[in-house]
Amino acid sequence: MILLQADVVPHEEKLNLLSLLFDRGSIWITIPLLIISAIIVYIFIERYMTINKAAKDDVNFMNNIRDNIHNGRLDSALALCKATNTPISRMIEKGLSRLGKPLSDINEAISNVGQLEVARLEKGMSTVSTLSSIAPMLGFLGTVAGMIVAFHDMATSGNNLEIGDLASGIYTALITTASGLVVGIVGYICYNMLVAKINHVVFLLEAKASEFMDLLHEPVK
């Protein structure tokens, strides 16, 4: 009787990226990357909500300011600005407080307030930009360190070198590069999204400042 031996199918081990990220050879890079990711996400959400609030354009606000100025109700216009509490209202409030002075002085005061408001909106932007640049470099550092360890093990193992161990060390090192690039790309996208929204606010502030200066040239009814 002939016994047929069943074909032995080699067990294919699936790649577990999570275990590679928290492997003892890469965890010293993974933890800083997680911290960087958390900081970027926090700043992005906080700034996005703040800039969205600043970018709201209330058409009735400037109409009410115009009516109050034409009717000589300067106190009502100032009260409206304080009640609205937006970058635009604070800029117009500064202009109203300078009424009676040369128009060039009023325009300069408005511009200064506008620049301060933009600076407030840009708070944390440099941090996002810096962390987005640091993340890929951290990833490359982890890869270089991992490759150094892998080749050191290869040089010192002699005839006892296991190819599997060497390959495992190499792709564990490379996973840090991938992680750093992912964090850097996400941070870069977040940064540019915030820059685009801030540019929109800058355009809006310039438009409202120009509208206010034109308002001062209008004849009183």
Side-chain angles (χ1 to χ4, degrees), residues 177-187:
T177 297
S179 302
L181 289 174
V182 169
V183 174
I185 290 171
V186 171

Side-chain angles (χ1 to χ4, degrees), residues 32-34 36-37 40 127-140 176-192:
L33 288 177
L34 289 175
I36 288 174
S37 302
I40 289 176
T127 302
V128 174
S129 177
T130 301
L131 293 179
S132 299
S133 301
I134 289 176
M137 290 189 287
L138 273 177
F140 287 130
T176 62
T177 297
S179 302
L181 289 174
V182 169
V183 174
I185 290 171
V186 171
Y188 181 77
I189 293 173
C190 291
Y191 176 81
N192 282 279

Side-chain angles (χ1 to χ4, degrees), residues 60 62-73 215 221:
N60 294 325
M62 289 304 298
N63 291 334
N64 292 331
I65 293 293
R66 178 181 288 103
D67 293 339
N68 287 325
I69 291 177
H70 286 173
N71 293 321
R73 298 194 300 266
L215 171 61
K221 297 180 180 179

Side-chain angles (χ1 to χ4, degrees), residues 85-118:
N85 192 26
T86 63
I88 294 175
S89 66
R90 287 189 288 270
M91 186 177 64
I92 300 303
E93 181 183 358
K94 191 64 168 182
L96 291 172
S97 66
R98 294 297 178 92
L99 288 181
K101 295 186 177 182
L103 292 179
S104 59
D105 292 346
I106 298 176
N107 188 39
E108 183 179 358
I110 291 176
S111 299
N112 291 337
V113 173
Q115 291 174 4
L116 290 174
E117 292 296 332
V118 172

Side-chain angles (χ1 to χ4, degrees), residues 169-207:
I170 292 175
Y171 61 67
T172 299
L174 290 175
I175 198 69
T176 62
T177 297
S179 302
L181 289 174
V182 169
V183 174
I185 290 171
V186 171
Y188 181 77
I189 293 173
C190 291
Y191 176 81
N192 282 279
M193 288 179 64
L194 294 177
V195 167
K197 295 189 74 65
I198 289 177
N199 288 338
H200 173 70
V201 174
V202 171
F203 173 79
L204 184 61
L205 291 175
E206 291 176 348

